[in-house]
Amino acid sequence: MEERHQVKTPTTTQPAPMTQRVERRPARRPVLPTAAATAIGSLPHDDPKAAVGLVLEGLPDLPAAPQLPCRNPAEGMLAQAVDGVRGVSATPDGALEVDVELLDPEAPVDVAFAGEPWVGLRTFLDAVAARRGPVKLQLTGPLTLGVALTHAGADPEVAFEVAGAAVQARARALVALAAARAPHAGLVVLLDEPGLTAWSSYDIPLKGDHLVDLLSGSLASLGAGVVTGVHCCGAADWKLVDAAGPDMISLPATPDVVDSAPTLSSFLDRGGLVAWGVVPTDRPIGAAPDPLWRRLSELWADLAAAGCDPIRLRQQALLTPACGLANHTPQQAAHILDLTLGVAERVHSQAVAIRMSVGA
């Protein structure tokens, strides 16, 4: 791949109430290549070394640590999220069981990253031990964990308190682990929040300001030297996510995003990054990236017409599959990552051309 122009990532401060937007302050953050391609969550591999080899080769600018639930259900996002949380366990098929008498938000969380839930992560960190470029890691977000605990029988108030405390503890431990195992690699860490789609359908007993507090607390726990983000693979209230102060928003590149144009416009104007899920993961796809690139260009044209800066849309973009790839074959996963990289190269070329045309 040709050498990438690079842009400095935005910065954030500690969480603030929903009525007061989180301000951004200078801090040391990794420098991300313009239009870097990366991945979201899971891969279908049984062999962790093969999975890590795929992301290192297929996503050279921003390789992503894989979750491997097909290798072992303990690597599923919910099973990982409750690992070490007192009063909760994951069944062999990855479902959650809650002992409501033991569930306690003040109980310590075992964040050792030992055993089956973290094989993919440990293998990835071993492989990038000497890397000096950025890498992407991922954690299950507190909203999604709180929803899962509630559905498993926990009282909602306790469930979300436990979820917030557990994710914050895991976030701090993840950054420390990465710093020890890959000390020269810059960190990008996203909270995976499919639960945001349930929030959009008003199925969560949680007020908006509490949701913002949950997200912002977990983002702040990642520390000042990390590029932080929130991912949701469906429709979400991105205004609430923005209020939590992430550096990056990760969303599907679908027409409904135009409804969030005012939020995305202000987010981009403040230097926010958007990771666009350009390759669908729920339906057949073609053999070449050009149709996907054209569809993204059309979406950006609609967003520009709705008020987003067309230059920022390109220069502050990352590209991803729309969601995780555990339900695909390894060959299909490799093809999807190849398509993602193909779209990223087109976005990068256009962003560089724009920069040159304005003399930047």
Side-chain angles (χ1 to χ4, degrees):
M1 180 188 296
E2 63 181 353
E3 181 179 354
R4 297 276 183 141
H5 285 65
Q6 297 183 325
V7 293
K8 291 186 178 180
T9 56
T11 57
T12 60
T13 61
Q14 297 297 314
M18 184 180 173
T19 55
Q20 179 182 354
R21 187 173 302 282
V22 174
E23 296 297 331
R24 302 179 185 269
R25 58 180 172 82
R28 290 188 176 183
R29 301 289 176 95
V31 177
L32 302 185
T34 301
T38 191
I40 299 299
S42 60
L43 287 177
H45 298 68
D46 294 324
D47 181 354
K49 291 185 178 179
V52 170
L54 174 62
V55 297
L56 291 176
E57 180 180 356
L59 305 169
D61 286 340
L62 189 57
Q67 296 166 307
L68 304 174
C70 297
R71 185 199 68 81
N72 191 312
E75 285 207 56
M77 62 180 299
L78 291 178
Q80 281 188 339
V82 301
D83 182 45
V85 178
R86 195 178 79 173
V88 193
S89 59
T91 65
D93 63 358
L96 300 188
E97 292 183 342
V98 173
D99 184 334
V100 295
E101 299 297 326
L102 295 178
L103 201 62
D104 181 0
E106 296 185 2
V109 180
D110 182 353
V111 290
F113 293 98
E116 292 297 331
W118 309 102
V119 170
L121 172 66
R122 295 197 305 268
T123 304
F124 177 81
L125 291 176
D126 286 343
V128 299
R131 181 178 171 87
R132 292 187 174 273
V135 298
K136 175 193 166 286
L137 311 178
Q138 187 163 308
L139 286 174
T140 303
L143 172 67
T144 298
L145 177 54
V147 171
L149 293 174
T150 300
H151 288 171
D155 174 80
E157 183 175 351
V158 175
F160 287 107
E161 287 186 18
V162 168
V167 174
Q168 289 182 34
R170 183 68 67 181
R172 291 189 291 269
L174 178 64
V175 173
L177 177 71
R181 302 281 283 266
H184 303 296
L187 294 183
V188 178
V189 184
L190 266 61
L191 302 178
D192 191 2
E193 284 287 20
L196 284 165
T197 60
W199 172 267
S200 298
S201 64
Y202 304 101
D203 190 33
I204 298 177
L206 198 68
K207 294 182 179 180
D209 55 347
H210 294 159
L211 170 58
V212 172
D213 287 344
L214 265 181
L215 291 176
S216 61
S218 296
L219 293 169
S221 295
L222 292 166
V226 177
V227 176
T228 67
V230 176
H231 165 75
C232 181
C233 54
D237 188 337
W238 296 109
K239 185 176 181 180
L240 289 175
V241 174
D242 178 29
D247 300 313
M248 184 188 303
I249 288 174
S250 174
L251 43 69
T254 51
D256 61 282
V257 172
V258 177
D259 294 337
S260 299
T263 296
L264 291 177
S265 177
S266 60
F267 182 71
L268 289 166
D269 288 346
R270 296 193 307 277
L273 304 173
V274 180
W276 300 91
V278 293
V279 184
T281 56
D282 59 352
R283 58 184 182 273
I285 53 176
D290 291 317
L292 301 171
W293 161 237
R294 288 195 293 270
R295 186 164 59 190
L296 179 63
S297 298
E298 292 169 358
L299 174 60
W300 281 351
D302 291 340
L303 285 167
C308 292
D309 186 324
I311 296 177
R312 292 187 181 277
L313 282 168
R314 290 156 176 81
Q315 294 185 341
Q316 293 163 219
L318 291 86
L319 291 308
T320 73
C323 203
L325 303 176
N327 293 327
H328 296 70
T329 67
Q331 294 76 19
Q332 290 170 333
H335 178 54
I336 288 171
L337 295 189
D338 187 57
L339 290 176
T340 303
L341 186 60
V343 177
E345 289 172 342
R346 285 156 176 76
V347 175
H348 171 256
S349 296
Q350 192 175 67
V352 170
I354 291 172
R355 185 179 291 115
M356 293 177 64
S357 70
V358 297

